[in-house]
Amino acid sequence: MNRSPWTQARRAARMNPSIIREILKVTEKPGVLSMAGGLPSADTFPVEAIKAACDRVLTHNAREALQYAASEGFAPLREWVAAKVEGLGMRVSPDQVLITSGSQQGLDLVGKLLCDAGAPVAVETPTYLGALQAFTPYEPIFASLASDDEGPLPSAIEALPHDAPGTRFAYLLPNYQNPTGRVMSAQRREAVVAAARKAGVPVVEDNPYGDLWFDQAPPAALSSLWPEGSIYLGSFSKVLTPGFRLGYIVAPSEVYPKLLQAKQAADLHTPGFNQRVVHEVIKGGFLDEHVPKIRARYKANRDAMAKALAQSLPPGCEWQSPEGGMFFWIRLPEGLDAMTLLPRAVDAGIAYVPGAAFYAHQPDPRTLRLSFVTLTPELIAEGVDKLGRMLHEALALTTAETTP
Amino acid sequence: MNRSPWTQARRAARMNPSIIREILKVTEKPGVLSMAGGLPSADTFPVEAIKAACDRVLTHNAREALQYAASEGFAPLREWVAAKVEGLGMRVSPDQVLITSGSQQGLDLVGKLLCDAGAPVAVETPTYLGALQAFTPYEPIFASLASDDEGPLPSAIEALPHDAPGTRFAYLLPNYQNPTGRVMSAQRREAVVAAARKAGVPVVEDNPYGDLWFDQAPPAALSSLWPEGSIYLGSFSKVLTPGFRLGYIVAPSEVYPKLLQAKQAADLHTPGFNQRVVHEVIKGGFLDEHVPKIRARYKANRDAMAKALAQSLPPGCEWQSPEGGMFFWIRLPEGLDAMTLLPRAVDAGIAYVPGAAFYAHQPDPRTLRLSFVTLTPELIAEGVDKLGRMLHEALALTTAETTP
């Protein structure tokens, strides 16, 4: 028979190549200064500490580290996480901690457990693209929450549908959100959680950037305000290394056993070796000295980009200086489209991610995301200068076109 | 409000604790000789080679190994896999290789891509429990294929429903299957693939045990007989270490991009560090010397268990001596139930897995699985002797009960 044996499953039809992947492919050219990727600076990876930890784990615990392991994760690492999130106002038992293969897997497990075909999932406007990708195979309907500079509006959460099939959860990023860099104030957190509670909509709180604050730590976690109604996702990718793929979920006891089952079905367990090595690195307080160095480095980069943007960008561009994290979010003047301009940017020797990729609905074509952590301050200045020139030219053309 | 904010999603309702997990909990008692687990022998882990490889990777390629990496996997490892499966009769490009977080993740990605709610997926009778767990969240209907000592019957595959919604795929384990230890003959492979082709049902071939043959290598892979209609899953867990969680998918070019997208949504990528370390260990032909040692060791264990079973088990028990892999599959005499007997086995100081866990439908309560790779030959003899005594006693009781 000639027809393909691969049936076009409904689910498969929904899965499409990542826009960012395609963008990164286009922008990865020699000589291009890329502010597109979301990569932490490789200069911050504590190579020697990791090397020593690998050696110790393989000298003292090789048989356990190289064998199959518990789906919940390495017990001392779970204890470490439980103690760590206490600093965010959360009081949890290590039994509520599930170690995941990066926090991206946490998103997948949440989707696998809580999404049903046709049931709404609420997301911020805009939101983390990887979350949209993680939830999509489970066929939810996305509800985009109206949002401002402080995050989603409580009124938008209160208005979520709670009749059957009911909104499954609200996916929220309170700290230095990817892509906007925005942070929720303490007041907004309380209002958002109160609204979610009132609407009976659980909160899935994603916090990969929370440790990367510059002047002051962000307010307490959303999960601290409504422990029984919140799932919290954390990560070691931004404070230690993404290459070990280590994250964690903190979940209420009511939900934990099902998440654990989803985890076991997904990959049995996160590599025991990686968990032991990371625990070996951090157990003596390593991050207390290491993370401030990352903060200082990223803050200097943020300052360099803030200065360069103010100097170079044409009038009509809007942005806020982020108080942490890795990204600036720029809104271009009326008439400019960040996706359309990307090839010109690459020709000019720089790259960014058009913001349209981060919207579940009605993308704002004027937005773009710039990372300030991959390049040095000098190269940031150079890159933003090139971006500014390109935008000035584009704006001149637009004006020329629209002027009779 | 008082009701729980966690809606009982339809999907979540299908996810239940693993039976094996529960069994292992019950059987993990001090002094119990466990033949229950599916763990490779920790004595086979090449600790020194791994330690040296970690050191080399962190000395020469730390920045790349610790950074985010490509979702497809580490290119030299993908090339190694493409060359490796040539030995199974498969001619594939490295572009068709996707590195996964263990082959369990391969199962999850296959489910995520190909399963639709209510569409049939064909499985062997019995089959690997972890696959049932991986596919279940995607809500398929399982079709159990009538099977004999050589695997599923071609006639059962031909009879699969191919009208809408159509059987999505047949999940097959040709080599030393978990749990039965059976291997498909070359003739059966051809008949099974011909039947699948005729029925228009793709094959998902899972081969974690194929390298663990004792006297002769198994016949060519199913995927070699129908490359465009087969997805192949492989693993480093049984030949190197499970603790690094490394497996791979080989997929036709038609399907690969969607699997890649599913992988990216699931965990972005498998740890680059782990991939580089494993490639560093194996690139110079390490497995050519290492795997024969595992084979020799496991063969001696198989022989010890075969001898002990012949000596100790009561008449009416049935089994075949496996030609590779890790498991014996025993069928008890009429009237005995392996699940019911498990607490008595644990009291007697031994543990096995009741076979009922491995059936999608109509479990055979008389079956049980014994691993022969975790214990030494001496302890295998002791364990099987205890199992035999327990079964003799149980049988005597059954006979007493049924004799008026």
Side-chain angles (χ1 to χ4, degrees), chain B residues 40-209:
Chain B
S41 168
D43 294 334
T44 67
F45 301 155
V47 179
E48 290 310 316
I50 291 173
K51 197 191 276 190
C54 286
D55 193 75
R56 283 201 298 277
V57 166
L58 288 171
T59 301
H60 302 297
N61 298 97
R63 292 174 71 93
E64 300 82 5
L66 298 178
Q67 186 55 281
Y68 283 112
S71 299
E72 292 89 338
F74 181 50
L77 188 62
R78 297 170 73 204
E79 286 165 22
W80 186 95
V81 169
K84 147 91 187 157
V85 299
E86 244 186 73
L88 307 173
M90 296 162 64
R91 296 195 54 176
V92 303
S93 148
D95 291 344
Q96 292 172 253
V97 177
L98 177 63
I99 304 297
T100 58
S101 301
S103 73
Q104 182 71 25
Q105 187 183 48
L107 296 170
D108 179 49
L109 300 183
V110 162
K112 186 172 277 187
L113 190 66
L114 298 177
C115 288
D116 273 333
V121 163
V123 296
E124 298 189 37
T125 307
T127 189
Y128 170 52
L129 174 63
L132 297 178
Q133 291 178 331
F135 303 148
T136 291
Y138 304 105
E139 308 177 284
I141 294 170
F142 290 114
S144 289
L145 296 165
S147 306
D148 63 15
D149 288 347
E150 282 194 39
L153 302 181
S155 59
I157 292 175
E158 270 193 62
L160 284 170
H162 50 276
D163 292 339
T167 303
R168 289 296 193 254
F169 58 87
Y171 169 67
L172 305 176
L173 304 110
N175 297 324
Y176 324 121
Q177 193 228 30
N178 180 0
T180 63
R182 72 192 173 201
V183 60
M184 287 188 205
S185 65
Q187 205 176 0
R188 175 63 61 89
R189 287 172 202 241
E190 278 174 26
V192 156
V193 171
R197 196 170 207 155
K198 195 170 164 196
V201 174
V203 169
V204 173
E205 177 177 24
D206 193 7
N207 187 25
Y209 306 103

Side-chain angles (χ1 to χ4, degrees), chain A residues 37-38 177-181 209 322 324-329 369-372:
Chain A
Q177 193 226 32
N178 179 0
T180 62
Y209 306 103
M326 297 168 40
F327 306 111
F328 271 85
W329 180 248
R369 189 192 76 179
L370 291 181
S371 162
F372 54 85

Side-chain angles (χ1 to χ4, degrees), chain A residues 154 157-158 160 162 170 172 189-203 222-230, chain B residues 1-6:
Chain A
I157 293 176
E158 270 194 59
L160 284 170
H162 50 277
L172 304 177
R189 285 170 204 242
E190 277 173 27
V192 156
V193 170
R197 196 171 207 155
K198 193 170 168 195
V201 174
V203 169
L222 301 174
S223 302
S224 73
L225 304 174
W226 189 24
E228 70 277 19
S230 306
Chain B
M1 56 198 307
N2 284 323
R3 73 177 171 85
S4 160
W6 302 103

